[in-house]
Amino acid sequence: MTRKPILAFEDLNVWFGVRPDNPGFHVVKGVNIALKPGERFGLVGESGSGKTTTIMAAMGLLPSSAEVSGRVLLEGRDILRDGEKSVAPHRWKDIAMVFQGAMSAFNPVKTVGWQIAEALDVHNVARGVAAERRVGELLELVGITAAQSARFPHEFSGGMRQRAMIAMALACEPKVLLADEPTTALDVMVQDQVLKLLVRLSQELNLALILVTHDLAIVAQNCHRAAVMLGGEIVEQGSVSDLYHRPQHDYTRKLFEATPDVFAVARKPETAKATSAAPPLLQVGHLKVSYPRPRSLREVLRREKPQAPLVVNDISLTVDRGEMVALVGQSGSGKTTAMQAVLGMVKSQGGTITLNGRDVTGLGMREWRPLRRQIQMIYQDPYESLDLRYRVRDTVAEPLRIHRIAATALEREALVVEALERVGLTPAARYLGRFPHELSGGQRQRVAIAASIVLKPELLLADEPVSMLDVSVRAGVLHLLDELRRDARMGILMITHDLSTAANYADRIAVMHQGRIVEQGPAHQVIHAPEADYTKALLASIPDPDPDPDRRAAGDAVSSRRQPSTALPDHVSESLRHKQW
Amino acid sequence: MSTTTVNQAPDSESPYGFRPTLRGVLQQKTALAGLLIVAFFVTIALISPWIEPYSISEASCGVFEAPSRAHWLGCDDGGVDMLSLVLRGGRISMIVGAVATLIAIGIGATIGVLSGYFGGWVDTLLMRITDYFLVVPQVVLMIAIAAVWGPSLSHVIIVIGALMWTGTARLIRAQVKSLRERVYVKRVEALGAGHAHIIFNHIIPQIGPLLVANTVLAITVAIFNETALAFLGLSDPTAVTWGTIMEHAFDRAAVSSGAWWAIVPAGLSVAFLIMGCYMLGRSIEDALNPRLKVSYLSTHFWRLRPLVGRGPDAL
Amino acid sequence: MRGAGYVWKRVAFAIATVYVALTLNFILFRVLPGSPVSQISRVPNASPEMKKILTQQFGLDRPLWEQYLLYLREALHGNFGISYTNRQPVLDNLVQAFANTIPMVAAGTILAIMLGLTVGVVSAVRRGSATDHLSTNIAVLFYAFPTQFMGMMLLIGFAGVLPSAGMSDPFALDATAWEALLDRLKHMILPVTALMLTLYAENALIVRSAILETLGEDHILTARAKGVPRHRIIRHYALRNAMLPIVTMVAMSLGAIVTGSILIEVIFSWPGIGRALYTAVLKRDYPMLQGGFLFITIVVITFNLIADLLYYKLDPRITT
């Protein structure tokens, strides 16, 4: 392995917004990476760590406000030497790129084939019939039939589009492929396929690959070496095995700890329920829901009911007080629709929903309103779930005002403060006056949770509560939910696409596929003794953060090391110590 | 028009963090210039009776007398001082523009909010109606209506207002529809809030700035239509507006007698007022449009940092 | 075929709109209090026999719904009555006027679209440059000029240099076909210029912002990474995608084109349909007014339909 590097970053620095009167932001700080032909390199970091900017610099695709120093060597020659002029000739011919959102990375009004042929055309690789043949070959290389080249991007599924993107990237036989979060928007099983494809191509074509991702497990399974970026700097670099087994930097260790391992199921089912006499908090029986949409004009005129295929087809589950149930499934499996039905936001087509022994199926909006105090929802995207014009105080107080709880402003404020402290935003006074844009993602999610629990609900519905958050703050939010379950005895129904999260926090797991629950049981059992084929396939497609998973068979020592730490972030546990709920 | 640098920073602030502020909008040169122009014309309209040098109903000089020291802008066909007429003419033009716009925005915003918020059959019905109004050539319909009812200022206002709302309705509908899908609206709905609470607390404040921009832009169209109708003789012939001033001049052959001063002052006043409104409205709208913040095809490229003279941070 | 349903839907909508316009026309001119046709006595210079014929023709002695059916039947046969002023069938007058309008408005509109596209594209892709500032500010200025003002300024500025009224020289009696054409073209210069200048500005501003919006789309970045040359990106990515909002906006500004041409025909005494409408208002020639309103509405609906179909052709994502 003494080959010369094909691509090397030497002391690369990038600043944004530098003006004579403004030093700007230093977003990439002295990055050094050397990549050998055929090597797969992972660049790991959270949003804002500068990882995308780093690879964009290698393509010369930085915005005009960027200032760059250092060198990017392609086969020993500095391609940044003369700015745009010296990078441009290497784009796509030597260095190609796969972008994050394959949905918008294609021109929507041209066929996929046209867009691949264009790459061949502008680089004088092939034209006419030869180009057509080559496009077919490229598509077949990534598992798409040549005939599909006449299709438009919107006619492809997400996974197909990303594979077509890879085919386009390979059009001019580049030496280096840069992949920027190539699988972020994809389902686990599709993600697995796309990653396997990338690895296979890199091996077959001796292609050097930089995989930019926030997911350590993806890197562990698909790369030789990796670098961890934090605040624009590479804090640690080495073989994936070294990073995993002998992390040097605290941040690396923290990242691995925050990446849950699906097989390290946290909790055994708790001891027999003491309150088995009372009806369960939530009982869903044979629920059927079709895709929610308002009635069309024609249906109103003809007095028809909207006809739509069932998205949720006959599911049954229960959630008890102090219990967390995870509903796991891929996008389109109907899990969100099911939750909307439980919340009373969507009419069901059949089945029953019982809340605290009361049948709430088919209640109108007006009858639902008082019941909303008992059942609250936490949403996926903390950036989107808060009104940007509302201060934290107003957001958390809004439910109180809607339900006319608390007679005076003073009382209301006290409840707001109580809720904020409960979710770990202490001292609450510091957060009350802030706007959402003055908070971090994790803090926003905590504010959203505070706005839900200020009504003291009994049942919390959580729709992918951490999937939009950075890896390192996920654990904190999940711990918070766990505490609410344990201390406040709330029942929690959590939707997630991530079996690992479910395995680590839920008492029971229900796996949903195409509108049905294919498997349901205690977390431990679903993970370790799955019965449904679908569950097995899902488990097999989850990347393992351990680069050498065979080792685990020898002894469980490794995975036990990475059980989610029970220690909470300081400010959270601090707030809990003198808190009675 | 904006001079801010086009910036795309892949790893920087989240796009949701953006909130346009009044101060931010006014820091743009275009917006400020627009605001000043509009303020200038409004002030003139308010104080015109006190600053007019001559009466606007009596002749004070000869027919189509050219501009002179006594009559800066010359005189019209009846020997009335043009400066006085133009100063006064803005009043009615602006009132007509403003009232008609308020009617239009009121109708448009209501239809847009209802349509976008409730969706389904409400949306289909309202948008079908909007589509009809959209294809009917409005000025022609205005001509027909004004011709049937007879020329009058209030007819002009009602006709312009009742026909001009379609664009607003579509714009607001699109905006509300996307707000309706926002998670925070869903969240508040799940909290048990009623439709009225959501619309008044979360929807309308959000579309407020856009509505302001749209109102300012709609005023330009209303004033345009007022002058067009006045020019075709469908406005109140006795009222002094910029539209009727131009109409009179054209009617009395100011063009063939070369009396440009009977046309230019009113014409330029309309042009500058509309320009001011347009610059102001467009700047607000642009500031609200997140899609204008990013450009991947700039004429400028990133630079290499010079190796010397940058202080210790450079290396 | 992709989205045949869409095409039919748009055609059906266009037909329905024509029907609504017909009905609106009926209500406006017959049903509303003070509507003109019900006051036959207002007809200038009409003898009692003439009034009787008119009463029969419009079916004014029958119930309203029968009048409505009669009106629809006549309208479908292209019968909009007789002009009060020249005693010719309204339709003949309108067709004649429309034939005069078309060359002038088409030339002005096409030039305006071409100029608008060029200026808009250039300022968008050189956003923030001096070129952009200059051309955008000029466009705003022209946008702000009322059409009639622009027309009169051209008249004053070019009086004597170019013909300023009508569409041919009434004294050139024995002109050859070539001379007649040349004469016609000369007469067209001023009105076409006036129309172009008032319309181009709005187009340029629309095109500029539509392109600026597409420049932030991810596929532009992909194209740059792919090494696609700048001019190609502008054409196949930016402009091609911007065409969708542009078509919609230009279709929405059809009304402005109509307004502009009416004003310009009046100012330059162009014997087109706009001027016919204007004369009808002045002379209280209600059949002409009614017919003209309907005629222009149908023309606008037709062009709207064309814009819809064009949009469909441009956007492969439309399926229903």
Side-chain angles (χ1 to χ4, degrees):
Chain A
M1 290 283 281
T2 51
R3 288 167 299 171
K4 269 176 56 184
I6 180 99
L7 184 75
F9 296 79
E10 286 187 354
D11 192 29
L12 182 76
N13 286 277
V14 179
W15 295 263
F16 280 136
V18 180
R19 302 232 184 94
D21 55 336
N22 185 347
F25 302 100
H26 197 173
V27 291
V28 175
K29 298 171 185 163
V31 162
N32 285 293
I33 297 171
L35 198 63
K36 298 194 180 74
E39 188 180 26
R40 295 187 300 279
F41 188 88
L43 197 53
V44 189
E46 302 187 333
S47 55
S49 63
K51 54 192 195 303
T52 302
T53 312
T54 303
I55 59 163
M56 284 297 196
M59 293 287 280
L61 290 178
L62 296 172
S64 57
S65 64
E67 208 167 278
V68 178
S69 80
R71 304 199 294 170
V72 172
L73 302 170
L74 180 73
E75 297 180 303
R77 296 219 332 266
D78 182 8
I79 55 173
L80 296 187
R81 193 184 54 244
D82 295 320
E84 170 75 9
K85 211 164 43 172
S86 55
V87 196
H90 299 289
R91 286 190 197 131
W92 229 250
K93 267 190 102 70
D94 297 312
I95 310 175
M97 190 160 174
V98 175
F99 293 91
Q100 177 169 13
M103 177 74 206
S104 49
F106 275 110
N107 185 346
V109 297
K110 300 281 187 186
T111 63
V112 171
W114 185 94
Q115 298 187 52
I116 299 177
E118 184 187 38
L120 300 171
D121 181 17
V122 297
H123 292 289
N124 294 318
V125 177
R127 287 202 178 83
V129 186
E132 211 172 294
R133 203 172 49 235
R134 179 91 180 110
V135 169
E137 285 169 13
L138 284 164
L139 284 176
E140 277 173 5
L141 190 65
V142 298
I144 298 173
T145 57
Q148 312 235 47
S149 70
R151 293 195 162 197
F152 288 95
H154 71 273
E155 296 172 302
F156 278 15
S157 70
M160 261 172 101
R161 230 178 277 139
Q162 198 56 287
R163 278 185 282 152
M165 188 77 211
I166 293 170
M168 186 157 87
L170 299 176
C172 304
E173 299 178 344
K175 303 180 181 96
V176 182
L177 187 62
L178 310 174
D180 183 9
E181 305 259 9
T183 57
T184 302
L186 304 176
D187 276 325
V188 181
M189 281 155 97
V190 183
Q191 161 177 304
D192 192 45
Q193 290 168 8
V194 170
L195 289 170
K196 284 203 171 101
L197 173 69
L198 278 173
V199 170
R200 197 194 84 211
L201 292 170
S202 136
Q203 285 164 346
E204 284 173 10
L205 308 171
N206 198 27
L207 189 68
L209 177 74
I210 295 186
L211 195 60
V212 171
T213 178
H214 64 276
D215 191 339
L216 270 175
I218 287 181
V219 169
Q221 289 310 307
N222 299 292
C223 296
H224 302 115
R225 290 193 304 130
V228 178
M229 278 190 90
L230 173 67
E233 274 175 293
I234 291 186
V235 295
E236 188 164 1
Q237 184 168 178
S239 73
V240 287
S241 176
D242 278 350
L243 286 180
Y244 178 74
H245 294 290
R246 289 169 290 280
Q248 301 298 310
H249 198 276
D250 281 347
Y251 182 68
T252 315
R253 210 168 295 134
K254 198 173 145 207
L255 276 185
F256 270 115
E257 273 169 13
T259 308
D261 182 348
V262 62
F263 294 103
V265 177
R267 264 203 320 276
K268 300 272 186 294
E270 281 184 5
T271 45
K273 307 262 170 5
T275 55
S276 55
L281 181 57
L282 171 75
Q283 189 156 31
V284 175
H286 305 290
L287 182 70
K288 287 180 182 168
V289 190
S290 59
Y291 189 73
R293 68 175 173 83
R295 294 208 292 171
S296 73
L297 189 57
R298 174 174 304 185
E299 284 154 359
V300 171
L301 293 178
R302 298 189 182 170
R303 302 197 177 152
E304 288 170 353
K305 280 200 164 177
Q307 290 298 317
L310 289 179
V311 190
V312 175
N313 195 352
D314 194 10
I315 68 165
S316 302
L317 53 85
T318 57
V319 181
D320 225 323
R321 289 169 195 82
E323 182 184 46
M324 182 187 281
V325 176
L327 196 55
V328 181
Q330 303 201 11
S331 57
S333 62
K335 53 193 197 304
T336 302
T337 311
M339 191 172 269
Q340 290 290 320
V342 170
L343 193 60
M345 302 295 284
V346 169
K347 285 248 181 317
S348 56
Q349 306 290 99
T352 55
I353 302 167
T354 320
L355 189 63
N356 251 336
R358 180 174 170 192
D359 187 358
V360 297
T361 325
L363 287 189
M365 277 297 171
R366 209 166 287 275
E367 299 149 302
W368 249 110
R369 223 160 268 164
L371 290 173
R372 298 235 182 265
R373 288 185 59 176
Q374 298 172 25
I375 175 167
Q376 283 296 318
M377 176 122 174
I378 296 159
Y379 294 84
Q380 180 174 13
D381 188 343
Y383 296 93
E384 278 268 297
S385 65
L386 302 179
D387 190 330
L388 296 183
R389 296 170 316 99
Y390 273 48
R391 292 176 195 275
V392 168
R393 172 190 287 114
D394 303 321
T395 297
V396 181
E398 190 176 21
L400 299 174
R401 275 189 277 124
I402 290 170
H403 289 280
R404 310 224 156 83
I405 304 170
T408 64
L410 218 62
E411 249 176 84
R412 205 183 298 142
E413 181 95 351
L415 286 170
V416 169
V417 168
E418 188 186 345
L420 283 176
E421 288 184 343
R422 185 69 191 80
V423 299
L425 293 175
T426 45
R430 217 166 69 207
Y431 297 95
L432 282 173
R434 293 203 191 170
F435 284 106
H437 67 94
E438 297 167 312
L439 300 171
S440 71
Q443 289 170 334
R444 288 184 206 205
Q445 193 60 298
R446 285 173 194 270
V447 171
I449 296 176
S452 307
I453 62 169
V454 73
L455 290 173
K456 307 199 171 144
E458 292 171 79
L459 178 64
L460 269 186
L461 307 177
D463 183 0
E464 306 262 12
V466 295
S467 71
M468 303 289 283
L469 300 178
D470 273 327
V471 180
S472 58
V473 299
R474 284 181 185 180
V477 171
L478 287 166
H479 279 303
L480 171 60
L481 290 179
D482 198 42
E483 281 164 31
L484 291 171
R485 175 192 67 79
R486 201 177 51 224
D487 303 343
R489 301 292 294 165
M490 289 182 190
I492 299 178
L493 177 60
M494 177 172 72
I495 283 184
T496 175
H497 67 280
D498 182 4
L499 257 179
S500 324
T501 306
N504 278 271
Y505 291 93
D507 297 287
R508 286 187 298 117
I509 295 178
V511 181
M512 239 183 127
H513 181 50
Q514 292 178 350
R516 294 170 192 278
I517 289 182
V518 293
E519 180 157 9
Q520 184 168 194
H524 195 81
Q525 183 191 320
V526 172
I527 301 298
H528 288 287
E531 280 169 11
D533 290 340
Y534 180 73
T535 317
K536 288 176 192 159
L538 206 56
L539 278 166
S541 65
I542 296 174
D544 192 319
D546 184 346
D548 328 289
D550 300 342
R551 272 194 167 180
R552 178 162 29 226
D556 233 357
V558 180
S559 53
S560 67
R561 182 179 68 72
R562 292 192 308 99
Q563 271 198 8
S565 75
T566 39
L568 294 169
D570 285 343
H571 60 282
V572 179
S573 48
E574 190 59 38
S575 76
L576 291 174
R577 214 161 290 150
H578 44 78
K579 190 69 226 140
Q580 298 284 312
W581 192 253
Chain B
M1 282 194 283
S2 92
T3 49
T4 48
T5 41
V6 180
N7 197 344
Q8 138 250 342
D11 276 347
S12 69
E13 259 297 288
S14 103
Y16 304 109
F18 173 69
R19 251 163 41 93
T21 56
L22 187 65
R23 191 186 297 168
V25 168
L26 289 181
Q27 269 167 359
Q28 290 178 270
K29 276 185 217 148
T30 349
L32 191 63
L35 187 69
L36 289 179
I37 293 174
V38 175
F40 171 76
F41 278 106
V42 171
T43 314
I44 295 275
L46 288 176
I47 61 170
S48 62
W50 293 279
I51 57 169
E52 286 158 15
Y54 297 94
S55 157
I56 57 158
S57 49
E58 285 162 36
S60 52
C61 62
V63 172
F64 284 142
E65 200 178 294
S68 63
R69 191 163 289 191
H71 300 276
W72 292 356
L73 297 178
C75 291
D76 77 347
D77 58 293
V80 181
D81 180 58
M82 188 47 74
L83 179 60
S84 309
L85 282 173
V86 168
L87 288 177
R88 182 62 70 88
R91 280 194 146 190
I92 293 177
S93 288
M94 273 187 260
I95 290 173
V96 171
V99 177
T101 301
L102 286 182
I103 295 175
I105 296 284
I107 301 174
T110 311
I111 288 189
V113 167
L114 292 180
S115 198
Y117 184 85
F118 289 104
W121 65 270
V122 179
D123 183 33
T124 316
L125 187 70
L126 291 176
M127 279 304 113
R128 191 96 11 124
I129 295 172
T130 310
D131 280 351
Y132 284 117
F133 273 90
L134 209 59
V135 285
V136 171
Q138 299 176 3
V139 168
V140 181
L141 187 56
M142 285 179 203
I143 291 173
I145 290 179
V148 171
W149 286 352
S152 125
L153 268 185
S154 51
H155 290 170
V156 168
I157 291 178
I158 293 170
V159 165
I160 296 178
L163 291 180
M164 221 182 55
W165 52 267
T166 49
T168 309
R170 279 191 151 195
L171 183 82
I172 296 299
R173 168 184 176 266
Q175 202 65 23
V176 172
K177 219 174 155 67
S178 87
L179 282 175
R180 186 77 178 88
E181 292 306 309
R182 288 289 182 81
V183 182
Y184 71 81
V185 173
K186 299 253 178 228
R187 183 176 65 80
V188 175
E189 197 179 358
L191 284 175
H195 295 312
H197 175 96
I198 297 176
I199 290 178
F200 286 107
N201 287 289
H202 294 282
I203 303 275
I204 291 183
Q206 288 283 0
I207 58 170
L210 190 66
L211 214 48
V212 170
N214 195 249
T215 308
V216 178
L217 288 176
I219 288 179
T220 68
V221 182
I223 292 180
F224 252 147
N225 286 348
E226 189 271 331
T227 63
L229 288 182
F231 189 78
L232 296 173
L234 296 167
S235 181
D236 182 355
T238 59
V240 177
T241 78
W242 290 333
T244 53
I245 295 174
M246 280 189 275
E247 189 241 338
H248 275 295
F250 182 72
D251 234 30
R252 308 288 155 79
V255 172
S256 49
S257 30
W260 54 267
W261 53 88
I263 303 164
V264 172
L268 280 187
S269 300
V270 176
F272 280 122
L273 177 59
I274 287 180
M275 214 165 101
C277 287
Y278 183 84
M279 280 155 60
L280 181 61
R282 173 62 43 189
S283 312
I284 303 175
E285 215 171 83
D286 284 355
L288 292 171
N289 188 349
R291 298 177 67 193
L292 293 178
K293 300 273 169 297
V294 182
S295 169
Y296 291 123
L297 200 74
S298 163
T299 37
H300 301 286
F301 295 107
W302 52 274
R303 323 177 279 288
L304 282 169
R305 171 164 284 209
L307 286 174
V308 283
R310 275 285 183 184
D313 198 31
L315 285 173
Chain C
M1 183 190 141
R2 166 178 74 94
Y6 175 83
V7 175
W8 285 120
K9 254 189 188 165
R10 297 323 300 174
V11 172
F13 177 74
I15 293 171
T17 315
V18 170
Y19 170 74
V20 170
L22 272 170
T23 308
L24 192 67
N25 204 2
F26 179 80
I27 295 172
L28 194 60
F29 286 87
R30 297 267 187 103
V31 182
L32 286 185
S35 59
V37 178
S38 58
Q39 300 171 341
I40 290 291
S41 57
R42 274 225 212 143
V43 179
N45 316 323
S47 61
E49 299 84 70
M50 171 84 184
K51 282 182 186 167
K52 207 171 159 199
I53 293 170
L54 279 176
T55 310
Q56 252 166 23
Q57 188 193 337
F58 288 115
L60 292 184
D61 41 357
R62 295 186 218 175
L64 207 56
W65 64 271
E66 239 176 276
Q67 284 185 41
Y68 178 61
L69 289 181
L70 195 68
Y71 159 83
L72 280 186
R73 199 184 71 198
E74 293 300 311
L76 285 181
H77 290 93
N79 181 4
F80 299 112
I82 307 288
S83 161
Y84 293 169
T85 26
N86 68 355
R87 306 287 162 100
Q88 296 293 311
V90 167
L91 191 64
D92 293 0
N93 282 343
L94 290 173
V95 169
Q96 175 60 39
F98 189 58
N100 292 339
T101 294
I102 281 201
M104 192 268 289
V105 172
T109 310
I110 290 169
L111 285 175
I113 289 177
M114 278 162 43
L115 188 62
L117 268 178
T118 320
V119 172
V121 170
V122 169
S123 16
V125 300
R126 320 196 122 260
R127 180 184 187 179
S129 69
T131 324
D132 176 29
H133 283 292
L134 190 68
S135 55
T136 307
N137 286 331
I138 291 176
V140 173
L141 191 68
F142 276 107
Y143 169 82
F145 278 149
T147 314
Q148 67 271 30
F149 178 60
M150 182 96 72
M152 287 191 280
M153 286 300 96
L154 285 175
L155 270 184
I156 293 177
F158 292 92
V161 185
L162 285 166
S164 59
M167 50 179 218
S168 56
D169 188 347
F171 302 110
L173 289 176
D174 47 355
T176 62
W178 172 245
E179 282 169 348
L181 180 68
L182 219 57
D183 180 52
R184 172 70 71 94
L185 287 178
K186 259 193 196 161
H187 278 81
M188 266 173 67
I189 293 178
L190 282 185
V192 165
T193 311
L195 192 61
M196 178 188 77
L197 288 179
T198 42
L199 295 179
Y200 107 88
E202 191 174 6
N203 290 340
L205 296 169
I206 288 172
V207 170
R208 179 178 179 273
S209 54
I211 290 196
L212 283 184
E213 285 194 358
T214 59
L215 287 183
E217 306 236 344
D218 290 347
H219 57 77
I220 304 270
L221 188 63
T222 313
R224 276 193 65 200
K226 240 161 83 175
V228 180
R230 194 181 159 79
H231 62 91
R232 236 188 113 99
I233 297 183
I234 292 170
R235 201 174 124 208
H236 290 293
Y237 291 76
L239 186 56
R240 181 63 180 70
N241 279 284
M243 278 321 280
L244 302 173
I246 290 172
V247 165
T248 312
M249 307 267 251
V250 170
M252 278 175 76
S253 68
L254 276 175
I257 297 177
V258 173
T259 315
S261 23
I262 293 174
L263 292 168
I264 279 166
E265 286 185 1
V266 169
I267 289 167
F268 294 95
S269 310
W270 191 269
I273 196 153
R275 192 155 183 273
L277 210 61
Y278 175 68
T279 336
V281 172
L282 287 188
K283 304 229 161 114
R284 309 249 169 254
D285 185 349
Y286 289 107
M288 271 301 280
L289 190 59
Q290 188 180 14
F293 167 64
L294 208 56
F295 196 89
I296 295 181
T297 308
I298 291 172
V299 169
V300 171
I301 291 171
T302 311
F303 277 96
N304 237 297
L305 178 64
I306 293 173
D308 274 343
L309 299 183
L310 188 64
Y311 191 97
Y312 156 78
K313 185 110 182 84
L314 285 172
D315 190 350
R317 283 163 294 186
I318 292 181
T319 47
T320 51

